[in-house]
Amino acid sequence: MKYRLQDLIDMEHFQNLQDRLNEIYSFPSAIIDNDANILTATAWQDLCTQFHRKNKESERLCIKSDQYIQRHIHEANPAVSYRCPHGLVDNATPIIVDGVHYGNFFTGQFFLEAPDMNFFSAQAKKYGFDEDSYLEAVKRVPIWTQEQLNHYLFFIKGLISIITESALKKFKEVESRKQIEESASRHQSILQTAMDGFWLTDIKGQLLEVNDSYCSMSGYSEDELLMMRISDLEVNESPETVNTHMQKVVAKGSDRFESKHRRKDGTVFNVEVSVQFRNEGGGQCVTFLRDITARKRAEEALKESKMFLDNMSDIAYIADDQGNITWVNSAVERITGLSPEEIIGQPLLPLFIKADHASLIDVFKRTLLGESLENTLTFTSGVSCHVTSLPKRNGKGEIIGTFGVARDITDRLIAEKALQVSEGRLKKAQKTAKIGSWEYDVSTGRVWGSEEAFRIYGIERTSEYLPLDEVEGHIIEAKRVNQALVDLLTKGEDYDIEFQITQKNSQRLITVHSIADLIKDYQDNPVKVMGVIQDITDKKAKEEENIKLLGQLQQAQKMESIGSLAGGIAHDFNNILFPIIGLAELLLEDLPSDSPEHKNMEMIFNAAERGNDLVQQILTFSRQHEHKMMPLRIQDPIEEVLKLSRSTIPANIEISPHIEAGCGLVMGDVTQIHQIAMNLITNAYHAVEETGGEIFVHLKETVFGPEDLPTAYIEPGPYAVLSVSDTGCGIDPGHIEKIFEPYFTTKKQGKGTGLGLAVVYGIVREYGGGIRVYSEMGKGSTFNVYLPVMGKTVLAESVGNLHTLQMGTERILLVDDEAPVAGLERLMLEKLGYRVKAFTGSLDALAAFKARPHDFDLVITDMAMPKMAGSQLAEALLSIRRDIPIVICTGFSEQLNEQKAAALGIRGFLKKPISRSELARMA
C-alpha cells in the first residue's frame, strides 16, 4: 500500500516539537512532501517570506535554490546544503522510511557566518526593498556554526526515523487485519461474481450453496435451487446414475466432465463440470459449472468450417508456434502433389522454394506478434500462390500459431506479366508517338493521365488523380478547352481540339492535339470522358516549315517564270537594238564630226547603249547575265534608280536624295549596284506606304579607322556609304537578326518576296563590304551599306572618239535567223573589208560549208535558231574542219556561256546587241 508522509507522522505533534526546538535554539525548519506540500513550518525568516519571495525577479533565484536542492537530495549525507544567491544557507534532509523517500526536512534560512551588511544593502537597492526594514530582517536571521548545524541535523534525522518506523509498524498491523477481512469478503464476492456457476453440495447431491452465475444460467432463484438436488437439473444422468457418479468423485477426490442441464423454462444447455471433494462438514463437493453452449456451437461450426475448408480449392492450413503444420485441407495435394497425411506434422518451410524462405520466416514471426499479412510465395511444385497469414489464438486469446490460406495465382501472374509487357509496349508506343491517354471522372471532377500524358504536361506524377483546375492551369486557352469539354458533356459535340500548353517543369510552350469520347452508364448519364493527347509541336513545326518551303518554291517558280519571260523579252529587244546601234555606229563614221547630224546620231547611239544596259539588267534579273566586275562610279546607277523610283512611288511619299559627286570608284557590277539601291528604296517605300512619310537616300565617302569600324566584316580604309532611311513603322527588335535571311518577310502577302534584303546582303558581302541597320519602333529605319573605295580615276570615253577599227580581207560565213540582223552584220563586216556569205538558216549554212569547207576563214553564228542551234552548228562544222574559227553571238543562253563555248573549241563569244567595234575586234 502506498502511504503519504502525513500518514506515517503525527504532524501536529511534530509541529509542537519544532516550535519548542526553535524556542531553544532559534532554528527555523519545515517538512515538505514530494508534491511540494508544506506539512509543518517553524520560524521561516521574514527576509525570505516578506522580501525575496514577494519580488518576481528575486523569487526566480529562490526557485532556482529549491530546484538545486531537489536535484541533489540523493547526495545527502545526512543533508544537502546550499548557499542561495541571496546569501542565505538552506539545508535539506531526506525523510526515508522502509527504503522509500517520502519528503524532506528543511532547515533554514540561517547564516554560517556574520552577514555582509553592505551586500544586503546593495541587494535592497537592486530589488527596490525598503532598506531599513530589509536590513532589520537580515539581523533577525540566526547565525549557526557548522558544528551546531550537524548536531541538530543528526538529531532530527534520528527523531524522524524513530517516529516513522513506529507509525509504520502500527499501520502494518492494522493493514494485516484489514487484508484478512477483505480476503474473506473477496472470496465470497468472487464466488458470487464469477462467470462460472458454483455449487456446494453434500455427498447425496443436495445443493447447499449456489452463486448468482448459476442462477442466471438455470433461470432458478437461489432459494429455489437450495431446495433441489443435482438430479433435478441433470439431463443426461438419472438419480441413480448421479448417485453412482458422486461415489466415484468421493473415491477419486475430483472429476471433470461435460453434461447437459435443464433450465427452469425447460430448455437445455451444455455445461462443463469441475468437482472436488472435501471432508469438512461430513463431506462436501465444491463444484464449478461453465456454460459451454456457445463453445459447442463453435465446435460444430468449426467442424462444418473444416468440412468446407477441406472441399475448397485454396490451400488452408494451421501451423503451431514452431512452424509445424498441425492441419491442412485436401487442396494441398492438388497444388503440391503431397497428401495431407504426408504434410501434417512436417515443417511449413520446405514446402516453398528457397528463394522465398526469408520472406516466409519474416511473415511467420510477425504473424506470431499479432499481424495479419499477405504475400506471394511459390511452392516447390512451381505453383505460385497468394498467401494470407493470420494469428491463431486459444481460448484465452493467446497466439499459439498461424492460420493460412494459399490461393493459386500462377495463371494470374502469367496474365499480369503479359499485361505488364503489353503496358510496357503501350508506354513505349505512347512515348515514341508522344501520345498519352487521359480520363476525366464526372463525379469527382478529377483527371487521370498515363505516364506520357503527365510527361506532356511536364507534371511529376505524384498521385494517380489530379484536380481538373490543376491541369487546366498549364493550358494557354483554358477557357476554350474547358468549353469543348462542357460541350461534349452537355451536347455530345465532338471533342477534337488543338491547344497550347506551358509545361510545368520546363516552362516550354508546346502544341497538343486531343481527342475524347463520352462514356455513359446504363441510364444514359455521363460518367467519364476518355481521351488521348498528343504532342504535335514538332509536327506543327514541320507543317509550318513545309508551308514555308512550299511558299518559297512557289515564289522561286514564280521568279523562274518571270525570269524566263524577262529573258525572252531581252532577246527580242536585242534584235531591235542591234540595227539601231550598228547603223548609228556606221553613220557616225560617215557623218562629219562637227555636223548637227553627227550630234543627233551620237544621241541616238547613246540612247541605244542605255537600252543595251537596261537589257543587261533584265538578263541579270533573270540570272542570264554574267557579272562584269569593273571600277565604276556608283553615283550613276544610284541616280538611275532614283529616277525610276520617282516615277513608280506615289507623289505623297517624298524622296530626298543627297549624292556626293566626289565619291570614289567601287569595284563592282552596274546591275548589282542597281539592285542594291532598288531593293533598299523599295523596302523603305513599303515601310511608309500605308501611313505616308519620307525616304532619304545619301551617298558619301568616309574613311574608317581600326577604332570606329561600323561592322565586324570590314577592314579599315575608305568606303562609299550608301544610306537609305525612312520615317515608317520601324522594325521589331526580334526581327532584326532575321531580315537578311532568304524568304524572311514581315510584309503582307503579295507585298514582298523575302529576297530583296537577302540579295543586298549577298552582293555587299561579295564586294568585301558591310551593312548595318538602325531602327526604332514607330520612328523608322536606316540601312547603311559600306562598299570599299578604289580611287578617284574618272572612267569616261566619248562615243565620238572611237578607236581605229581593225580591217581585214578574210572570208566569213555569217549565220542569223533574223534577216535584218544578218544583213546589218554583213554590211558592217564588208565595210571593214571582209568578204561575207550570209545565211538565215543553220542547215543551209551547214550544207554550204560541207560543200566547200576551205572557202571560209571564220564562222559567225547566232545561238538561238530554229532546227539547229548555234552550238549544234558549231559542233557540226568543227567535225568537218577542226581548225575553223567560230564566234557565237547571243542575247542570252542557259545552255552556253563563254566557258562552255571555249570547251567546245569555239573561238569567241559575243553578247547581243553587238557593236561594230566588238565585231571588228572579234573578227
Side-chain angles (χ1 to χ4, degrees), residues 474-492:
H474 303 287
I475 298 175
I476 300 300
E477 296 180 89
K479 188 174 181 181
R480 178 173 66 88
V481 177
N482 184 266
Q483 187 60 49
L485 181 62
V486 172
D487 290 343
L488 173 63
L489 290 169
T490 58
K491 303 176 185 178

Side-chain angles (χ1 to χ4, degrees), residues 43-160:
W44 278 19
Q45 298 303 314
D46 291 342
L47 187 66
C48 292
T49 59
Q50 300 300 320
F51 292 96
H52 293 161
R53 290 188 182 269
K54 282 192 175 182
N55 180 279
K56 292 295 181 182
E57 186 176 353
S58 61
E59 184 184 27
R60 283 198 292 270
L61 298 178
C62 296
I63 295 171
K64 182 178 179 181
S65 300
D66 295 341
Q67 291 172 342
Y68 175 86
I69 291 173
Q70 192 67 28
R71 287 196 305 269
H72 294 271
I73 194 67
H74 64 281
E75 301 172 1
N77 186 26
V80 173
S81 294
Y82 178 71
R83 182 185 298 276
C84 75
H86 297 309
L88 298 169
V89 177
D90 277 322
N91 270 268
T93 303
I95 301 174
I96 299 173
V97 180
D98 199 20
V100 180
H101 178 211
Y102 285 93
N104 300 302
F105 185 86
F106 284 87
T107 305
Q109 296 78 26
F110 56 88
F111 294 125
L112 287 175
E113 58 186 17
D116 181 357
M117 300 307 288
N118 291 330
F119 169 79
F120 285 99
S121 177
Q123 195 156 255
K125 294 174 182 176
K126 176 180 179 180
Y127 297 120
F129 300 146
D130 180 80
E131 188 173 355
D132 293 337
S133 301
Y134 183 67
L135 294 178
E136 280 298 318
V138 173
K139 293 175 183 177
R140 291 196 294 271
V141 176
I143 302 172
W144 279 64
T145 66
Q146 185 66 49
E147 184 179 1
Q148 289 175 312
L149 175 62
N150 292 340
H151 285 309
Y152 180 72
L153 291 177
F154 276 108
F155 168 74
I156 292 300
K157 182 180 179 182
L159 181 63
I160 290 173

Side-chain angles (χ1 to χ4, degrees), residues 495-551:
Y495 184 94
D496 188 340
I497 187 170
E498 286 186 10
F499 53 92
Q500 289 186 310
I501 290 172
T502 302
Q503 290 182 316
K504 182 179 180 181
N505 53 6
S506 65
Q507 295 302 304
R508 176 172 167 255
L509 187 66
I510 65 170
T511 303
V512 299
H513 179 214
S514 185
I515 302 173
D517 205 354
L518 189 59
I519 306 299
K520 297 183 179 181
D521 61 14
Y522 69 97
Q523 294 180 329
D524 205 35
N525 296 317
V527 292
K528 264 185 184 179
V529 175
M530 299 183 68
V532 293
I533 185 170
Q534 182 178 20
D535 182 353
I536 60 170
T537 307
D538 294 340
K539 179 182 175 184
K540 291 291 286 186
K542 287 178 181 177
E543 287 178 356
E544 291 173 1
E545 181 65 20
N546 289 339
I547 292 172
K548 182 179 178 182
L549 290 174
L550 180 59

Side-chain angles (χ1 to χ4, degrees), residues 290-432:
R290 176 170 295 174
D291 185 348
I292 60 172
T293 303
R295 192 181 81 188
K296 283 293 184 180
R297 289 175 184 165
E299 288 175 354
E300 288 297 324
L302 179 60
K303 184 178 179 181
E304 292 176 0
S305 296
K306 285 186 176 181
M307 290 177 63
F308 169 76
L309 291 172
D310 207 43
N311 292 319
M312 68 187 291
S313 59
D314 297 340
I315 294 177
Y317 66 87
I318 297 174
D320 61 20
D321 58 0
Q322 299 303 309
N324 298 315
I325 299 173
T326 59
W327 175 84
V328 67
N329 68 352
S330 59
V332 73
E333 190 166 1
R334 178 181 59 81
I335 293 177
T336 67
L338 300 172
S339 66
E341 292 74 19
E342 292 176 286
I343 291 177
I344 293 175
Q346 299 300 316
L348 183 64
L349 202 62
L351 291 177
F352 299 91
I353 61 174
K354 289 185 178 180
D356 287 345
H357 285 188
S359 175
L360 181 60
I361 291 170
D362 178 63
V363 168
F364 184 75
K365 288 180 179 179
R366 290 167 63 186
T367 304
L368 290 179
L369 293 174
E371 293 187 58
S372 297
L373 301 170
E374 297 181 13
N375 64 334
T376 300
L377 301 171
T378 303
F379 285 94
T380 53
S381 62
V383 177
S384 296
C385 287
H386 178 268
V387 181
T388 302
S389 300
L390 305 169
K392 185 179 184 305
R393 302 176 187 272
N394 61 14
K396 298 179 182 179
E398 300 167 337
I399 298 174
I400 59 172
T402 64
F403 174 75
V405 176
R407 172 165 294 178
D408 184 351
I409 59 169
T410 306
D411 292 341
R412 193 186 83 186
L413 289 177
I414 293 172
E416 286 177 353
K417 188 172 182 180
L419 179 61
Q420 288 174 356
V421 171
S422 178
E423 287 180 344
R425 289 173 179 165
L426 177 61
K427 284 183 181 178
K428 188 173 182 180
Q430 285 193 349
K431 187 174 182 180
T432 302

Side-chain angles (χ1 to χ4, degrees), residues 666-711:
V666 170
M667 179 63 75
D669 179 89
V670 174
T671 303
Q672 288 185 321
I673 299 298
H674 187 279
Q675 284 182 295
I676 291 173
M678 178 59 76
N679 283 324
L680 291 178
I681 293 173
T682 301
N683 188 70
Y685 163 60
H686 286 154
V688 298
E689 181 178 7
E690 294 185 1
T691 59
E694 190 171 358
I695 298 172
F696 303 91
V697 181
H698 291 183
L699 177 67
K700 65 178 180 179
E701 183 177 329
T702 302
V703 177
F704 293 113
E707 304 299 325
D708 58 354
L709 294 174
T711 75

Side-chain angles (χ1 to χ4, degrees), residues 624-659:
Q624 296 169 11
H625 171 75
E626 292 185 357
H627 303 306
K628 293 183 178 179
M629 300 294 287
M630 63 182 69
L632 56 87
R633 296 179 69 255
I634 66 172
Q635 295 92 324
D636 297 334
I638 291 174
E639 288 175 349
E640 287 182 11
V641 170
L642 285 170
K643 291 177 183 178
L644 179 62
S645 299
R646 184 65 282 171
S647 64
T648 56
I649 294 176
N652 66 318
I653 296 173
E654 185 176 348
I655 301 177
S656 300
H658 182 74
I659 309 299

Side-chain angles (χ1 to χ4, degrees), residues 36-309:
N37 296 312
I38 300 173
L39 305 180
T40 66
T42 298
W44 278 19
Q45 298 303 314
D46 291 342
L47 187 66
C48 292
T49 59
Q50 300 300 320
F51 292 96
H52 293 161
R53 290 188 182 269
K54 282 192 175 182
N55 180 279
K56 292 295 181 182
E57 186 176 353
S58 61
E59 184 184 27
R60 283 198 292 270
L61 298 178
C62 296
I63 295 171
K64 182 178 179 181
S65 300
D66 295 341
Q67 291 172 342
Y68 175 86
I69 291 173
Q70 192 67 28
R71 287 196 305 269
H72 294 271
I73 194 67
H74 64 281
E75 301 172 1
N77 186 26
V80 173
S81 294
Y82 178 71
R83 182 185 298 276
C84 75
H86 297 309
L88 298 169
V89 177
D90 277 322
N91 270 268
T93 303
I95 301 174
I96 299 173
V97 180
D98 199 20
V100 180
H101 178 211
Y102 285 93
N104 300 302
F105 185 86
F106 284 87
T107 305
Q109 296 78 26
F110 56 88
F111 294 125
L112 287 175
E113 58 186 17
D116 181 357
M117 300 307 288
N118 291 330
F119 169 79
F120 285 99
S121 177
Q123 195 156 255
K125 294 174 182 176
K126 176 180 179 180
Y127 297 120
F129 300 146
D130 180 80
E131 188 173 355
D132 293 337
S133 301
Y134 183 67
L135 294 178
E136 280 298 318
V138 173
K139 293 175 183 177
R140 291 196 294 271
V141 176
I143 302 172
W144 279 64
T145 66
Q146 185 66 49
E147 184 179 1
Q148 289 175 312
L149 175 62
N150 292 340
H151 285 309
Y152 180 72
L153 291 177
F154 276 108
F155 168 74
I156 292 300
K157 182 180 179 182
L159 181 63
I160 290 173
S161 178
I162 292 171
I163 295 174
T164 54
E165 290 294 337
S166 175
L168 180 61
K169 181 179 180 181
K170 176 182 177 182
F171 270 96
K172 284 186 177 181
E173 290 175 356
V174 174
E175 197 65 34
S176 177
R177 286 197 301 272
K178 185 183 295 184
Q179 287 177 357
I180 293 171
E181 293 172 357
E182 288 178 352
S183 176
S185 174
R186 186 164 57 251
H187 175 75
Q188 187 64 29
S189 176
I190 289 171
L191 290 177
Q192 289 299 323
T193 59
M195 295 181 66
D196 292 342
F198 169 74
W199 286 348
L200 183 63
T201 69
D202 60 19
I203 58 175
K204 295 180 180 180
Q206 178 66 48
L207 272 64
L208 304 176
E209 187 177 336
V210 296
N211 68 351
D212 292 342
S213 291
Y214 191 77
C215 291
S216 298
M217 288 181 199
S218 63
Y220 292 103
S221 67
E222 182 181 358
D223 292 338
E224 289 174 325
L225 288 171
L226 293 179
M227 299 294 292
M228 302 172 71
R229 291 176 176 271
I230 295 174
S231 57
D232 296 330
L233 300 166
E234 181 65 46
V235 173
N236 291 341
E237 297 181 354
S238 65
E240 293 76 14
T241 307
V242 171
N243 186 53
T244 302
H245 199 164
M246 288 294 290
Q247 296 305 317
K248 289 181 180 179
V249 171
V250 172
K252 288 173 58 179
S254 65
D255 195 12
R256 189 182 188 93
F257 58 93
E258 292 181 4
S259 185
K260 292 184 178 181
H261 285 192
R262 192 182 307 280
R263 295 188 182 91
K264 185 176 180 179
D265 62 5
T267 58
V268 176
F269 63 100
N270 294 289
V271 291
E272 183 182 67
V273 182
S274 177
V275 58
Q276 286 188 334
F277 174 71
R278 295 191 310 183
N279 289 317
E280 303 93 67
Q284 296 177 339
C285 289
V286 176
T287 306
F288 288 93
L289 305 101
R290 176 170 295 174
D291 185 348
I292 60 172
T293 303
R295 192 181 81 188
K296 283 293 184 180
R297 289 175 184 165
E299 288 175 354
E300 288 297 324
L302 179 60
K303 184 178 179 181
E304 292 176 0
S305 296
K306 285 186 176 181
M307 290 177 63
F308 169 76
L309 291 172

